[in-house]
Amino acid sequence: MKVVTVVGARPQFIKAAPVSRALRKHGEEVLVHTGQHYDQAMSDVFFDELKIPAPDYHLGVGSKSHGAQTGEMLAKVEEVLMKEQPDALMVYGDTNSTLAGALAASKLHIPVAHVEAGLRSFNRRMPEEINRVLTDHVSSWLFCPTETAVRHLAKEGVTRGVYVTGDVMADAVQFNRQLADQQSTILDELGLEKKGYLLITLHRAENTDDPRRLSQIVSALNELEVPAVLPLHPRTKNKMNQQGLSFDNPHLKVIQPVGYLDMLQLEAHAQKILTDSGGVQKEAFLVQVPCITMRDETEWVETVEKGTNVLVGADKDQILHAVASFNVDFTQVEDVFGDGRAADRIVDHLLNEA
């Protein structure tokens, strides 16, 4: 079986790594990198660390408006598909790369496999929500990380080709956790003590593109009174510059984006994690660290239901209150994201039902 895999952003590289390993044992994979994350620190380092094969095609689309970026990706992925004539196309998550790949394949009548299908935040103002809904509705295989995702699809009338596989990010964390302990020196480099700091990520458009929300979050981070580290996303840095915002908290270390092993190490040994990332919310659950999510809703509702994640929006007071008071007893939390064998299940379904 020949599969074209389309990736473009950090979370997709992480998810694709275990599936690619499993797929290449049994079939042929053609890997396409759209270039959505084109910065070396956001792209190349993940291929190196996760031992993902070099892309067969690098489309070099880069940063543009949503419409321009998705349209250029769609056209370029279509060219690849017409040349390669695969049996299926595989996409991950909810980025513009995901939607572009899915649309290009569906218009050429190539079956689409969507890994991480069925997630819903129910906020149609989020571009990610539009991407994931549309991708699900043109997919032939819908690989769901949880039963909640299956129920979301059923409510939209999508029941064929739906499978609960567990979460491929659980596969990635299990596979790489020990490697991170062995190879990452990030804690020593930054002078951080285990369980003695907060880890922060901030990049989602609903926060960075809204001056009020970004100002509230930056203000909250500037008032933290405990050690904290923030790998600053290029998008966030640019938006802060445009809005005249800056960090001036001596407790806060602002650093360049880091690779997966360093990030996993920072996550695993943090006291708490503050984020607006979907993937980081889930990684926090997997490494058993309390998560404070700076959004009004989440697609990972299980983390909130299990009490390991609290939603604080972009409200300065709520953020600071959660930092001071939110704690989790993980001995009382049951796992919801699978046993670390999601990639094998995904490949089995592809091969058996192609």
Side-chain angles (χ1 to χ4, degrees):
M1 185 179 192
K2 183 178 184 179
V3 178
V4 165
T5 296
V6 174
V7 295
R10 171 195 182 273
Q12 294 167 330
F13 309 147
I14 297 168
K15 296 164 194 169
V19 179
S20 181
R21 280 194 298 272
L23 183 59
R24 290 175 186 241
K25 292 177 184 176
H26 307 286
E28 178 184 357
E29 182 184 39
V30 177
L31 189 60
V32 178
H33 186 339
T34 64
Q36 183 169 340
H37 278 177
Y38 51 89
D39 185 277
Q40 194 277 336
M42 300 293 290
S43 177
D44 296 357
V45 65
F46 289 91
F47 281 78
D48 295 338
E49 289 185 346
L50 296 170
K51 302 296 185 287
I52 305 171
D56 299 283
Y57 296 88
H58 197 300
L59 306 185
V61 174
S63 180
K64 294 176 172 62
S65 69
H66 283 289
Q69 186 183 65
T70 306
E72 186 174 341
M73 288 175 182
L74 197 160
K76 290 187 173 183
V77 170
E78 182 181 63
E79 292 178 8
V80 173
L81 295 176
M82 292 176 69
K83 178 180 178 182
E84 294 290 343
Q85 295 293 309
D87 300 299
L89 174 131
M90 183 174 290
V91 288
Y92 295 82
D94 55 21
T95 71
N96 290 342
S97 299
T98 307
L99 179 60
L103 289 177
S106 63
K107 289 176 179 292
L108 294 172
H109 307 294
I110 295 169
V112 175
H114 186 199
V115 177
E116 215 172 69
L119 301 193
R120 297 292 183 268
S121 70
F122 302 102
N123 179 359
R124 291 293 179 95
R125 290 182 60 83
M126 291 174 55
E128 295 89 351
E129 183 79 352
I130 300 300
N131 291 344
R132 62 173 72 108
V133 170
L134 294 177
T135 299
D136 282 342
H137 281 262
V138 298
S139 293
S140 298
W141 292 276
L142 299 103
F143 297 125
C144 298
T146 65
E147 292 287 352
T148 302
V150 174
R151 291 194 291 272
H152 289 161
L153 292 172
K155 288 179 180 178
E156 296 172 11
V158 180
T159 56
R160 294 185 60 183
V162 176
Y163 307 96
V164 179
T165 59
D167 198 301
V168 291
M169 288 187 79
D171 297 28
V173 169
Q174 286 191 22
F175 187 85
N176 291 289
R177 181 77 182 270
Q178 186 174 359
L179 194 61
D181 281 336
Q182 293 170 348
Q183 294 189 10
S184 174
T185 60
I186 190 74
L187 299 186
D188 289 339
E189 291 171 17
L190 297 177
L192 299 171
E193 294 185 7
K194 292 181 178 179
K195 300 304 177 184
Y197 63 92
L198 306 174
L199 174 64
I200 305 161
T201 78
L202 173 64
H203 80 279
R204 196 167 287 267
E206 66 186 273
N207 286 329
T208 61
D209 294 359
D210 184 323
R212 183 193 62 81
R213 292 180 70 93
L214 186 57
S215 177
Q216 282 274 303
I217 293 171
V218 170
S219 180
L221 300 186
N222 277 332
E223 291 193 16
L224 293 174
E225 296 180 351
V226 294
V229 59
L230 168 59
L232 190 60
H233 194 288
R235 173 217 280 278
T236 310
K237 182 178 181 179
N238 291 338
K239 292 294 184 179
M240 287 181 63
N241 289 339
Q242 290 173 18
Q243 297 177 31
L245 299 172
S246 62
F247 293 115
D248 56 11
N249 184 345
H251 299 292
L252 177 62
K253 296 178 185 288
V254 179
I255 64 174
Q256 294 294 317
V258 297
Y260 180 61
L261 296 182
D262 282 344
M263 188 63 178
L264 193 55
Q265 192 76 338
L266 287 170
E267 290 171 339
H269 298 294
Q271 180 187 111
K272 296 173 185 175
I273 294 173
L274 288 78
T275 189
D276 60 4
S277 161
V280 173
Q281 290 175 60
K282 188 168 45 177
E283 287 169 339
F285 183 96
L286 293 168
V287 299
Q288 299 190 334
V289 172
C291 186
I292 299 166
T293 296
M294 298 178 291
R295 286 171 53 189
D296 300 322
E297 66 282 306
T298 178
E299 54 276 10
W300 296 109
V301 293
E302 297 89 352
T303 63
V304 176
E305 292 169 353
K306 298 298 179 184
T308 69
N309 185 10
V310 61
L311 302 177
V312 295
D315 184 281
K316 174 183 173 180
D317 292 337
Q318 287 193 50
I319 293 169
L320 293 174
H321 177 72
V323 169
S325 62
F326 181 60
N327 294 290
V328 181
D329 180 2
F330 277 92
T331 64
Q332 303 301 309
V333 178
E334 63 176 331
D335 176 59
V336 292
F337 293 118
D339 58 4
R341 296 189 60 250
D344 290 332
R345 294 189 185 94
I346 287 168
V347 172
D348 285 347
H349 285 303
L350 280 176
L351 296 176
N352 293 334
E353 293 146 45

